[in-house]
Amino acid sequence: MIEINNLTFTYPTGTNALKELNLKINDGEKIGIIGQNGAGKTTLIKNLNGLLKPTKGSVIVNGVDTRNVQIADMSKTVGFVFQNPADQIFNPTIKGEIEFGLVQQGFKKNEIKHRTDSVLKNIKLYEKRNVHPSNLNYSERKLLTIASVLAMDPKIIIFDEPITGQDYKGKIAVEKIIHSLKDKTVIIISHDMEFIARMVDRIIVMCDGRIIADDSKIKIFQNNKALCTAFVEPPEALKISKKLGLKPCLTIEECIEEAKKVFK
Amino acid sequence: MITIKNLNFKYSGTNNYALRNINLEIKEGELAVIIGSIGSGKSTLAKCINGLIPHFVNGIMSGEVEVAGIKTADIDISDISKIVGMVLENPLTQLTGYGTTVEEEIAFGLENLGLIREEMKNRINSVLKLLDIEKIRYKDPFDISGGQQQRVVLASVLAMKPKILVLDDPTSQLDPSGAEEVFEELKKLKGKQTIILITQKMNIIRELASRVIVMSKGKIVKIGKPIEVLLDYKLLKRNNIEVPAETELLYKMNYNKKIMEMLKV
């Protein structure tokens, strides 16, 4: 569980990026964080894994106050997938990239091999395991960074813009992986509302360092005031279902099901 | 304005051709949108139009690329840059950091063209007005929003008065309001400037494009009107391109006439 109490974060430059945030995230929840660039989304998630420590207030992750632990220890509980794979890849082989975190965490050789092989097979890069990551395309590199986090099996996984720059095939691959994380707490930042609608149950809307709405996805996507303030458009499926007079649908699959009932 | 004949290109050190037998004609004033999955050849084609291929990127090229009547292989890349302006994905990779204001950033390219001061001033004033960024004229280009940064890049390129503007996924790093800002500027330029736009954002194509070029595995697989391409479910699926929600619904509902009417397709 994550408990955020009166969290304020001010950068050394004086920018007040988070203003007295209060938030509770339960185990296994799938959460989307949306809002304009500069709203405070990335600052918030960096406070969840201890990359940043609160200026005021506290962040308690599974009973541990982030101010009292090292980032290395936090990474066992909270996995973080950065937006740009280049920020996260630095090993000379694909296999080495996955093994690195496991070695740092002191896993035994057999366990490291088992986990590495397993995640590489999962993302279909096992055959290329000895190749330099720079030989992968953007989508594959993104999958590699996700796999290196999954290998450590953290309870909470944070994705910062996981599908930015991805094509259709890349998006589908990322979606499949996130869907498979059923028992994990998943927190996703994204500007793609179709993706958010398919991936999460609850949405937090941020604007100017504050949480302006926090509710189920269906309620958030019908909260025009919050969406407008955060400069966010609802998913296309919702607009289409309205035009067709159907019950509000957030995904096109739902919309098709509803349309089949009405239009014979 | 752009004529491409039997163009093939293979990057050195790779086995497969990145472009295969490309034939394409873009008329003056057109806004052609190129779509395709990663690795389909979109960015390589853009590099052929702006002369980075064959002048800068190593590889094997055959065929011809002509911009404004000049073969790109026959002139220096610095001369091609006067004809073809390029806007890249991430504004931060293109802002020069020359000077401390938006005005100075725009002036950088113009100084390199060797223009007289008066002409530079006129051009800067004109692009600032055109892109509605006069109010950030004296701001630090690194202290404005992503959408504004991309508009400054666009202004810097337009100030050089290129005959052709090529934009390679210019909104992929921007948030929705930033992307909207850039697309609004492109709407203003439509018809006045020859534009090639590479994008993954399917929702803007209908309003913006005069023609859509679909690429897959280094080839052009379709050139058509926006509506024709956007409603072609099988074409998009086959080529790993995101199918717009509306198209998915219409296809699955057998292009039901009532639904088409209600959606105003």
Side-chain angles (χ1 to χ4, degrees), chain A residues 9-218:
Chain A
F9 184 84
T10 309
Y11 283 99
T13 53
T15 305
N16 199 0
L18 298 176
K19 297 162 188 168
E20 295 191 354
L21 258 58
N22 286 290
L23 183 65
K24 195 180 267 187
I25 296 173
N26 293 313
D27 290 345
E29 273 201 279
K30 310 289 180 263
I31 308 256
I33 305 179
I34 64 174
Q36 248 192 321
N37 283 354
K41 307 184 298 293
T42 301
T43 308
L44 172 60
I45 57 171
K46 283 183 177 167
N47 269 276
L48 301 184
N49 73 345
L51 272 177
L52 298 175
K53 311 275 183 184
T55 309
K56 275 185 206 163
S58 64
V59 177
I60 315 285
V61 180
N62 287 349
V64 178
D65 191 321
T66 59
R67 289 171 298 186
N68 304 330
V69 279
Q70 300 287 324
I71 298 174
D73 290 326
M74 281 302 298
S75 69
K76 291 176 189 167
T77 320
V78 186
F80 195 108
V81 180
F82 288 87
Q83 180 175 345
N84 185 354
D87 293 342
Q88 210 160 342
I89 294 175
F90 52 89
N91 274 279
T93 64
I94 287 169
K95 191 175 75 170
E97 192 56 45
I98 305 285
E99 288 170 344
F100 180 82
L102 298 170
V103 171
Q104 298 305 309
Q105 292 200 355
F107 285 102
K108 287 186 179 155
K109 265 192 175 176
N110 282 351
E111 182 64 13
I112 292 175
K113 183 173 176 0
H114 170 69
R115 288 193 185 203
T116 305
D117 290 355
S118 163
V119 293
L120 284 178
K121 281 175 188 165
N122 190 14
I123 59 165
K124 298 185 174 57
L125 286 180
Y126 181 74
E127 300 304 323
K128 291 185 180 175
R129 63 192 179 281
N130 293 317
V131 167
H132 195 286
S134 64
N135 290 316
L136 300 178
N137 68 30
Y138 184 85
S139 289
E140 289 172 326
R141 269 182 273 153
K142 186 76 193 187
L143 290 180
L144 177 60
T145 59
I146 294 174
S148 65
V149 170
L150 295 186
M152 294 197 272
D153 199 24
K155 286 199 168 99
I156 300 162
I157 305 178
I158 299 171
F159 295 88
D160 190 0
E161 294 286 358
I163 56 165
T164 295
Q166 297 273 12
D167 60 4
Y168 173 68
K169 213 171 152 189
K171 281 184 194 174
I172 297 295
V174 173
E175 277 192 23
K176 259 190 185 168
I177 292 176
I178 298 180
H179 263 311
S180 72
L181 305 173
K182 293 207 165 60
D183 58 334
K184 308 277 183 202
T185 304
V186 174
I187 300 168
I188 304 170
I189 289 183
S190 180
H191 290 305
D192 188 318
M193 293 307 122
E194 270 67 32
F195 177 69
I196 286 284
R198 281 197 298 275
M199 293 293 109
V200 309
D201 305 312
R202 175 181 160 195
I203 296 175
I204 292 162
V205 188
M206 293 192 70
C207 180
D208 193 24
R210 296 180 199 278
I211 292 173
I212 58 164
D214 175 2
D215 217 324
S216 67
K217 60 181 170 185
I218 187 74

Side-chain angles (χ1 to χ4, degrees), chain B residues 6-7 41 59 64 106 113 116 123 133-134 155 188 247 262:
Chain B
N6 306 320
L7 174 66
E64 273 178 20
I106 299 171
L113 287 182
I116 56 163
R123 288 200 191 186
I133 48 173
E134 288 154 304
K188 284 186 207 163
T247 306
M262 290 173 87

